């Protein structure tokens, strides 16, 4: 039997509000835009998902036009496995959680004066979503080479911002690669308690490092 706590369900709703699909015709990419469409969920490394959220299943995958670009949102969930043969004790990993990824390709606005490139658009969008409590870190490729504080050698890795989510047990992160804005949210419960923020932060950074390498 699989059980999911109400807290995890609340977490999924709380971190899932970042995707706004436009109702109008989609904007078109410009010749200088590295990403001419938002990557699909299949690009996210399966190994990275399994490490962040063991036993996770893809719950939803949505893609569509975004004001000024195109966006894909992927949500994976994992529920604690209960082994009735062991008297209802948790079998293996007791963590239940939600992993959410948003990939938003921002297109150059050639009608603006001066022209706003897709990369500039993505950088501005990142600044808009990161709260004041956001911490700048460097994601080493594959999350290897970063120290405990999330630092990597100069010139290596991807600069990102990570922060504590509003729901206990949640860490959120954002970075941009060329004209692609990437947002990741991880929320988990260990038994009846939210995981410590330090653990959530480490998990979301490790995952984002592998995702950034795939992109």
């Amino acid at each position: 039997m699989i059980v999911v706590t109400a807290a995890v369900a609340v977490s999924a709703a709380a971190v899932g509000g970042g995707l706004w699909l436009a109702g109008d015709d989609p904007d078109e990419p410009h010749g200088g835009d590295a990403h001419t469409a938002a990557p699909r969920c299949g690009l996210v490394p399966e190994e990275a998902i399994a490490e962040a959220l063991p036993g996770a299943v893809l719950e939803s995958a949505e893609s569509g036009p975004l004001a000024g670009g195109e966006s894909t949102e992927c949500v994976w969930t994992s529920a604690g496995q209960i082994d009735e043969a062991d008297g209802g004790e948790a079998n293996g990993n007791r963590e239940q959680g939600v992993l959410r990824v948003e990939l938003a390709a921002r297109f150059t606005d050639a009608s603006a004066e001066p022209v706003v490139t897709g990369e500039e658009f993505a950088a501005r969008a990142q600044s808009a979503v990161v709260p004041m409590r956001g911490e700048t870190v460097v994601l080493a490729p594959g999350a290897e080479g970063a120290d405990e504080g999330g630092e990597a050698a100069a010139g290596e890795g991807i600069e990102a911002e990570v922060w504590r989510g509003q729901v206990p047990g949640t860490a959120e992160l954002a970075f941009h690669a060329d004209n692609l804005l990437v947002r990741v949210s991880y929320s988990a419960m260990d038994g009846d308690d939210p995981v410590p923020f330090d653990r959530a932060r480490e998990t979301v950074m490790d995952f984002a490092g592998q995702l950034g390498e795939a992109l």
Side-chain angles (χ1 to χ4, degrees):
M1 178 176 72
I2 298 177
V3 295
V4 182
T5 66
V8 171
V10 170
S11 298
V15 302
L19 180 63
W20 295 280
L21 298 182
D24 300 327
D25 292 335
D27 292 307
E28 297 295 328
H30 187 269
D33 293 329
H35 296 272
T36 58
R40 299 305 186 246
C41 298
L43 182 68
V44 181
E46 293 184 3
E47 181 179 347
I49 299 168
E51 290 178 6
L53 207 61
V57 296
L58 181 62
E59 182 174 289
S60 66
E62 301 180 16
S63 296
L66 183 74
E70 183 180 274
S71 185
T72 292
E73 183 183 61
C74 321
V75 179
W76 291 268
T77 60
S78 176
Q81 301 289 330
I82 302 300
D83 191 341
E84 294 180 355
D86 291 336
E89 294 297 325
N91 180 23
N93 190 352
R94 299 173 64 245
E95 289 189 8
Q96 308 169 54
V98 178
L99 177 66
R100 175 181 169 273
V101 175
E102 181 182 344
L103 305 167
R106 300 288 186 165
F107 302 148
T108 294
D109 184 359
S111 66
E113 184 60 44
V115 171
V116 179
T117 67
E119 185 170 1
E120 291 174 328
F121 199 175
R124 294 179 185 181
Q126 178 177 333
S127 297
V129 302
V130 176
M132 292 293 293
R133 62 183 181 278
E135 170 194 4
T136 300
V137 296
V138 176
L139 306 174
E144 296 179 359
D147 62 22
E148 293 181 357
E151 298 296 333
E156 295 181 359
I158 300 171
E159 186 173 289
E161 293 173 278
V162 63
W163 63 96
R164 186 190 301 267
Q166 294 183 349
V167 175
T170 301
E172 303 191 45
L173 180 146
F175 68 89
H176 73 277
D178 297 313
N179 64 314
L180 184 70
L181 174 64
V182 180
R183 295 178 62 184
V184 181
S185 293
Y186 168 81
S187 181
M189 300 285 293
D190 187 357
D192 295 330
D193 300 315
V195 299
F197 172 67
D198 288 347
R199 190 197 305 178
R201 175 184 180 276
E202 180 180 359
T203 298
V204 80
M205 287 179 59
D206 287 347
F207 173 83
Q210 296 181 65
L211 176 57
E213 188 174 19
L215 295 172

